[in-house]
């Protein structure tokens, strides 16, 4: 396009020049070797321009004839190179499709048409063909050769990293990833892998520096970089909490600014401030986090953060959090637990029942069982609430890659991925709740609650928190066959006397206890568990 414009401008200039000369006629005289030559000015200008054009054409012809051997050589060389690149392209497509035979054939053809030192993709094609054919030793040799060339060093390191991961050689994979990250921190795979490896080793300072390099190279989004930085700062603050509360406070506060929804950073910052006797500032941080998203860990830290408080003081602090987020399950459960510690059973029961009405889940029914045991000691009523807890949906927990933890961790212990833990109901518990297909109602549970019985002092207090044993007892009771109805027209002899009341959770225990040697031997009985 530019050449066309230049040519048009040149034609316009020549036309304008000739028209200007035609409007101004004149004669041109030239005396040369005693001869006088006269002509018109327009004719002389035309002859000069024609002479210049002839010289340019002659020069082009001479140059073309002189350069013709090189031109022919370049033509055939370019044709050969084009054929080589065509074969290379076909080979890469075949390698991507898993056609090892075609990839190997095209690699050999490309090497014959293109010099390998001029095109590093030939080595990549050969390595890919070796991987498809299962010759991993040859592939690793190709990748190691690539690391010696600055142009293909990153490609070779990635190939070696993937091979080390395939073999389970985590230490070798870590070294390859760190070499790639040191030379090119903008590589996402190298930076991410190195970040995870350094986090697993607890090298939080090195991980933070690498994250800054990755952010400066724009290899990671700013929002994601701020989130990961908050995770790393919170992890470093957790390590500093025991020995350096001031450093833990600074890191956790900075992390809270980067990610305000990160509950562990607020908890660590508050704990560090509690250690420094800055109660008001710590309470302010926890209250702000509680207003944003109520979390049981935040509530427990807030209620028990100040040492020396009585149970009544802790109850007041719990009620203060409830005032910030009323009609919330976590607020109600927190007040119910504090009221139970303060021996205010009426308030504890009312708050726990209110929490169960909003969201009937395991924690509410377990808390009702605790209240029942502390207030009445009636094991029948305790077992009733435990049975409801077994059927209720489970409580949320910190979950990452199927691993359930009772506390937050910066990275997953399964895959090593950063920021993997999420506060939610575990997967297996969700599936079990879906299999049961039932929604526990607190009103129906209260209707079936047995009346308070007199508790004997010698009756042992069972540990009602052994959920699995109670689950087995419930399943055994549900699987026990029901008695056959009496034949019509016949009245069973047992109806003459009123039957002994049976507890709602089952009959007599399967274990009869120690036999009395003095008593008369009874007839043998068979126990059916299922």
């Amino acid at each position: 396009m530019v050449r066309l414009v230049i040519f048009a401008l040149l034609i316009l200039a020549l036309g304008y020049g000739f028209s200007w000369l035609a409007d101004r006629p004149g004669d041109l005289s030239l005396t040369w070797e005693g001869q006088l030559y006269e002509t018109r000015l327009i004719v002389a200008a035309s002859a000069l321009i024609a002479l210049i054009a002839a010289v340019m054409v002659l020069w082009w012809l001479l140059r073309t004839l002189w350069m013709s051997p090189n031109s022919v050589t370049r033509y055939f060389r370019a044709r050969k190179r084009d054929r080589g690149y065509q074969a290379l392209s076909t080979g890469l497509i075949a390698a991507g499709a898993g056609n090892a035979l075609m990839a190997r054939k095209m690699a050999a053809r490309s090497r014959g048409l293109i010099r390998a030192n001029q095109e590093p993709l030939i080595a990549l094609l050969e390595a890919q063909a070796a991987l498809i054919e299962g010759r991993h030793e040859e592939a690793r040799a190709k990748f190691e050769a690539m690391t010696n060339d600055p142009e293909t060093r990153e490609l070779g390191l990635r190939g070696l990293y993937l091979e080390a991961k395939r073999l389970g050689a985590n230490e070798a994979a870590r070294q390859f990833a760190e070499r790639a990250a040191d030379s090119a921190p903008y590589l996402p795979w190298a930076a991410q892998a190195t970040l995870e490896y350094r986090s697993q080793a607890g090298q939080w300072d090195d991980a933070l520096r690498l994250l800054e390099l990755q952010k400066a190279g724009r290899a990671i989004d700013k929002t994601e970089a701020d989130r990961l930085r908050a995770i790393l700062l919170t992890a470093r603050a957790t390590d500093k909490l025991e020995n350096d509360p001031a450093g833990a406070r600074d890191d956790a506060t900075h992390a809270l600014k980067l990610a305000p929804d990160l509950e562990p950073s607020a908890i660590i910052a508050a704990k560090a401030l509690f250690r420094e006797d800055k109660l008001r500032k710590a309470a302010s941080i926890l209250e702000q986090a509680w207003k944003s998203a109520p979390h049981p860990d935040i509530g427990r830290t807030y209620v028990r953060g100040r040492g020396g408080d009585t149970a009544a003081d802790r109850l007041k602090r719990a009620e203060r959090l409830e005032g910030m987020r009323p009609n919330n399950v976590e607020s109600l459960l927190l007040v119910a637990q504090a009221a139970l510690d303060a021996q205010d059973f009426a308030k504890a029961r009312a708050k726990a029942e209110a929490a169960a009405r909003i969201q009937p889940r395991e924690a509410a029914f377990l808390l009702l069982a605790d209240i029942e045991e502390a207030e009445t000691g009636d094991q029948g009523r305790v077992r009733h609430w435990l049975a409801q807890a077994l059927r209720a949906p489970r409580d949320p927990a910190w979950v990452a890659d199927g691993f359930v933890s009772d506390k937050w961790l910066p990275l997953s212990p399964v895959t090593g991925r950063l920021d993997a833990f999420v506060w939610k109901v575990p997967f297996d518990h969700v599936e079990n709740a879906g299999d049961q297909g039932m929604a526990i109602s607190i009103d129906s549970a209260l209707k079936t609650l047995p009346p308070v019985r007199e508790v004997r002092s010698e009756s042992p207090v069972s540990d009602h928190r052994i959920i699995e044993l109670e689950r087995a007892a419930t399943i055994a009771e549900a699987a026990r066959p029901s008695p056959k109805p009496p034949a019509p027209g016949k009245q069973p002899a047992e109806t003459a006397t009123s039957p002994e009341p049976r507890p709602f959770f089952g009959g007599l225990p399967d274990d009869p206890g120690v036999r009395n040697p003095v008593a008369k031997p009874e007839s043998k009985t068979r126990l059916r568990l299922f």
Side-chain angles (χ1 to χ4, degrees):
M1 183 65 184
V2 176
R3 292 182 179 181
L4 183 61
V5 172
I6 295 175
F7 179 76
L9 292 176
L10 182 61
I11 296 298
L12 289 175
L14 289 175
Y16 177 78
F18 279 108
S19 64
W20 185 83
L21 288 176
D23 293 339
R24 294 170 176 77
D27 296 330
L28 181 64
S29 299
L30 175 64
T31 303
W32 188 47
E33 292 184 355
Q35 296 291 331
L36 178 64
Y37 299 93
E38 293 183 355
T39 183
R40 297 179 63 84
L41 183 60
I42 187 66
V43 175
S46 300
L48 181 62
I49 293 175
L51 180 62
I52 294 174
V55 170
M56 292 177 63
V57 170
L58 182 61
W59 174 256
W60 176 79
L61 289 174
L62 293 176
R63 185 175 179 276
T64 301
L65 291 175
W66 181 264
M67 299 296 295
S68 58
N70 293 333
S71 300
V72 173
T73 303
R74 284 198 303 269
Y75 170 76
F76 286 106
R77 186 183 301 167
R79 184 181 177 185
K80 182 179 180 181
R81 185 176 64 249
D82 293 341
R83 290 169 55 199
Y85 278 110
Q86 181 64 36
L88 181 61
S89 176
T90 305
L92 290 174
I93 294 174
N99 190 348
L101 182 61
M102 179 62 70
R104 178 68 64 181
K105 180 180 178 181
M106 292 296 105
R109 181 178 297 179
S110 301
R111 185 173 286 275
L113 296 174
I114 308 174
R115 287 186 294 179
N117 58 353
Q118 293 181 349
E119 185 49 64
L121 286 179
I122 297 177
L124 174 63
L125 178 57
E126 293 175 347
Q128 293 295 328
L131 288 176
I132 296 173
E133 294 174 349
R135 292 179 288 137
H136 297 281
E137 293 293 337
E138 180 182 349
R140 283 196 293 272
K142 294 290 183 182
F143 287 131
E144 288 178 359
M146 291 182 191
T147 57
N148 298 325
D149 187 359
E151 188 176 0
T152 59
R153 180 180 292 113
E154 300 169 4
L155 180 60
L157 289 174
R158 177 167 173 76
L160 293 174
Y161 169 77
L162 293 177
E163 282 295 296
K165 292 288 288 184
R166 184 187 62 83
L167 296 175
N170 295 326
E171 181 61 26
R174 182 187 64 81
Q175 293 180 4
F176 292 135
E178 287 185 349
R179 285 176 58 186
D182 291 339
S183 59
Y186 50 82
L187 291 176
W189 68 269
Q192 184 67 23
T194 307
L195 202 64
E196 293 175 356
Y197 286 131
R198 291 179 180 177
S199 300
Q200 291 175 5
Q203 301 174 359
W204 309 116
D205 296 336
D206 295 338
L208 287 169
R209 282 194 294 269
L210 179 60
L211 184 62
E212 288 298 322
L213 292 176
Q214 195 176 8
K215 182 180 177 181
R218 296 183 179 180
I220 187 173
D221 184 63
K222 183 179 183 300
T223 304
E224 184 180 359
D226 291 342
R227 176 73 181 183
L228 292 178
R229 181 173 177 80
I231 296 295
L232 296 175
L233 288 173
T234 304
R236 189 171 69 175
T238 305
D239 293 345
K240 290 181 178 180
L241 183 60
E242 296 296 332
N243 301 324
D244 187 10
R249 176 203 62 205
D250 295 338
D251 288 343
T253 305
H254 189 191
L256 196 59
K257 293 179 181 179
L258 295 174
D261 59 339
L262 188 60
E263 293 88 358
S265 60
I267 294 173
I268 296 298
K271 287 182 178 179
L273 290 170
F274 280 137
R275 290 175 181 268
E276 295 178 343
D277 293 333
K278 298 179 180 179
L279 305 180
R280 183 172 297 180
K281 189 173 182 180
S284 175
I285 291 176
L286 292 176
E287 289 172 359
Q288 189 67 26
W290 183 267
K291 292 177 183 178
S292 176
H295 195 278
D297 293 340
I298 295 177
R300 284 190 291 267
T301 305
Y302 183 84
V303 171
R304 298 182 176 274
R306 186 170 58 185
D309 281 354
T310 62
D313 295 334
R314 291 196 293 268
L315 177 57
K316 292 180 180 179
R317 294 174 68 85
E319 289 175 342
R320 183 176 180 181
L321 288 182
E322 184 190 12
M324 298 177 185
R325 289 299 295 265
N327 298 326
N328 183 270
V329 177
E330 301 298 341
S331 299
L332 294 171
L333 290 177
L334 184 65
V335 175
Q337 183 63 51
L340 175 59
D341 296 339
Q343 302 295 311
D344 190 350
F345 300 117
K347 179 177 289 188
R349 188 183 299 275
K351 296 297 182 180
E353 291 177 359
R357 284 190 177 89
I358 297 176
Q359 187 178 358
R361 70 187 197 196
E362 183 183 15
F365 293 109
L366 288 178
L367 189 54
L368 285 170
D370 287 339
I371 296 169
E372 200 67 55
E373 184 176 6
E375 184 179 9
T376 65
D378 189 344
Q379 294 303 309
R381 296 168 68 93
V382 171
R383 287 177 180 270
H384 172 75
W385 292 120
L386 290 176
Q388 305 302 319
L390 290 173
R391 298 166 53 198
R394 298 299 175 252
D395 298 321
W398 290 109
V399 183
D401 300 322
F403 179 82
V404 182
S405 176
D406 57 348
K407 63 178 181 179
W408 177 83
L409 297 174
L411 67 164
S412 170
V414 179
T415 60
R417 182 166 55 93
L418 276 170
D419 195 19
F421 276 92
V422 181
W423 181 256
K424 63 178 180 179
V425 179
F427 298 106
D428 54 347
H429 293 164
V430 172
E431 294 174 358
N432 293 337
D435 294 340
Q436 292 175 4
M438 59 183 70
I440 308 300
S441 173
I442 183 64
D443 296 327
S444 61
L446 290 173
K447 290 178 182 179
T448 58
L449 182 65
V452 180
R453 297 185 303 173
E454 183 179 355
V455 183
R456 298 178 182 177
S457 58
E458 65 271 14
S459 61
V461 178
S462 63
D463 186 7
H464 59 274
R465 288 192 177 277
I466 308 180
I467 301 300
E468 295 300 329
L469 295 179
E470 295 298 336
R471 188 187 297 271
T474 304
I475 295 174
E477 178 62 25
R480 184 170 299 171
S482 59
K484 296 181 179 180
K490 294 183 180 181
Q491 183 70 15
E494 287 78 7
T495 57
T497 59
S498 60
E500 182 181 355
R502 290 163 52 91
F504 77 97
F505 51 83
L508 296 176
D510 294 335
D511 186 5
V514 181
R515 296 181 181 274
N516 188 1
V518 183
K520 294 181 180 181
E522 299 178 355
S523 60
K524 297 182 178 180
T525 59
R526 298 181 65 183
L527 299 177
R528 295 187 61 183
L529 296 179
F530 298 96

